[in-house]
Amino acid sequence: MLDTCTDRLDALLHHFPVRARLFHSGSLCGVTRFDTPESGGQLHLVQHGELTVEHPGQATLHIGEPSLLFYPRPLARRFISDPQTGATLACAQLQFDGGADNPLAGALPNVVCVPLQDIPGTQAILELLFTEAFNHYCGREALLDRLFEAVFIQLLRYLMETGAIRGGMLAGMSHPRLRRALVAMHEQPQQDWTLDALAASCGMSRSVFANSFRDTVGCTPGAYLQGWRISLAQQMLRRGQALKLIADAVGYGSEAALSRAFKAHSGLTPRAWKLAQHKAATATDSLPAAGSGQLAPSSAISNHIT
């Protein structure tokens, strides 16, 4: 049986790292519109001031205390603050390795809003982050990028420890027993996992485990394992690894077996999928560059006072 202290995030962040890049620090006054960026997520840290956040077709958020606002996927929105006093924020673009296929990004809700004081262990990080964000020390941006990444990991811990996510992989990672099976699959995808072995790792009977897993995660253990293996295979294909080595690493005995599972999961063979990825990347590279400005083009942000 796996130790209950096994790191739930280690394998996920190792295979699918997340990188932050600062794109704004300072005041936003009046109405600030965030158009939908092409990819990735955005993390906003509200240090001071009141903020109303409007999303098309979703509930409006009213923020009146220092808070974290996180978007794992592109989502258009408007920030509304006092035209004179405004609100003070530090904001970063997050790039999830694997893009839309990143399992962490896919497991998170469209919007996460949490008061900063509710996230344990962040006080020292946030104090340093805000000090760096609103000053001009050398190495500032490189340090801020790493601090935003640390805050993101603290957020993931908070979501798992509080059971704030209902359904999906992170809900399973919050479960005191099911998380052992998920970590086992994440860390040892090449293992010939059976339902009995996974149930035993959780200290549960086969039937109780299967039912609990399906009710909590939203799919069967077998379907989850296949999805995780194919996600890893896609990452390895992006990095140019040979198909035979990938098949061995993710638990398929041959290239043919991997190709069958890959096509069943994604609708394409590994080679056809890799070609489609290459064409999509080439098409993106050929688009005209966005205009330069004080804020990063990827933020797609505009500000005006009404």
Side-chain angles (χ1 to χ4, degrees):
M1 181 182 296
L2 289 173
D3 190 301
T4 56
C5 294
T6 297
D7 191 331
R8 286 172 280 173
L9 292 174
D10 185 62
L12 283 165
L13 292 172
H14 172 74
H15 291 294
F16 296 93
V18 181
R19 297 175 180 85
R21 185 176 180 84
L22 174 77
F23 72 84
H24 173 76
S25 61
S27 295
L28 294 178
C29 299
V31 179
T32 306
R33 189 185 77 252
F34 288 79
D35 295 326
T36 306
E38 291 181 4
S39 63
Q42 291 184 340
L43 179 60
H44 306 277
L45 300 176
V46 183
Q47 184 200 37
H48 178 74
E50 296 186 359
L51 197 64
T52 297
V53 184
E54 296 180 345
H55 311 93
Q58 297 194 42
T60 297
L61 297 175
H62 299 283
I63 298 173
E65 61 182 312
S67 297
L68 178 153
L69 188 58
F70 175 57
Y71 298 86
R73 290 171 293 281
L75 183 67
R77 56 199 179 275
R78 291 201 316 164
F79 286 3
I80 304 171
S81 57
D82 185 273
Q84 277 72 49
T85 59
T88 306
L89 295 87
C91 310
Q93 185 82 16
L94 294 189
Q95 289 299 328
F96 294 90
D97 218 30
D101 296 322
N102 185 295
L104 273 174
L108 288 159
N110 290 332
V111 185
V112 177
C113 186
V114 186
L116 293 179
Q117 67 176 5
D118 289 356
I119 308 175
T122 58
Q123 182 177 350
I125 295 173
L126 290 169
E127 183 177 346
L128 178 58
L129 189 152
F130 287 132
T131 297
E132 293 289 331
F134 306 123
N135 289 283
H136 295 282
Y137 304 129
C138 61
R140 164 182 176 268
E141 290 196 15
L143 178 56
L144 281 168
D145 293 348
R146 304 292 82 76
L147 292 171
F148 272 109
E149 291 165 9
V151 170
F152 174 69
I153 292 173
Q154 294 279 17
L155 173 63
L156 292 176
R157 289 179 180 175
Y158 166 82
L159 294 175
M160 290 191 302
E161 293 302 330
T162 59
I165 306 297
R166 302 294 181 187
M169 180 261 289
L170 284 177
M173 300 281 271
S174 301
H175 194 285
R177 293 195 175 187
L178 293 179
R179 64 193 192 189
R180 300 173 188 169
L182 287 163
V183 171
M185 290 186 275
H186 291 166
E187 293 188 342
Q188 302 174 64
Q190 76 286 355
Q191 182 81 13
D192 185 18
W193 291 110
T194 64
L195 192 61
D196 287 333
L198 291 170
S201 75
C202 299
M204 303 168 76
S205 71
R206 175 190 172 104
S207 60
V208 170
F209 168 73
N211 291 333
S212 296
F213 194 101
R214 185 180 61 252
D215 293 344
T216 303
V217 181
C219 64
T220 66
Y224 185 88
L225 178 59
Q226 183 186 60
W228 173 247
R229 285 172 167 171
I230 300 307
S231 292
L232 292 178
Q234 290 172 340
Q235 278 291 80
M236 297 169 79
L237 284 170
R238 289 186 186 96
R239 294 166 183 167
Q241 297 189 32
L243 202 58
K244 185 180 186 308
L245 294 178
I246 296 174
D248 292 338
V250 300
Y252 293 102
S254 66
E255 293 182 40
L258 171 59
S259 294
R260 287 193 297 271
F262 198 106
K263 187 171 184 178
H265 183 80
S266 68
L268 296 170
T269 65
R271 288 184 175 85
W273 181 88
K274 188 173 181 180
L275 180 61
Q277 294 290 305
H278 176 72
K279 288 181 177 178
T282 302
T284 300
D285 291 341
S286 67
L287 293 174
S292 60
Q294 196 171 25
L295 297 172
S298 61
S299 67
I301 174 177
S302 64
N303 179 261
H304 64 275
I305 297 175
T306 56

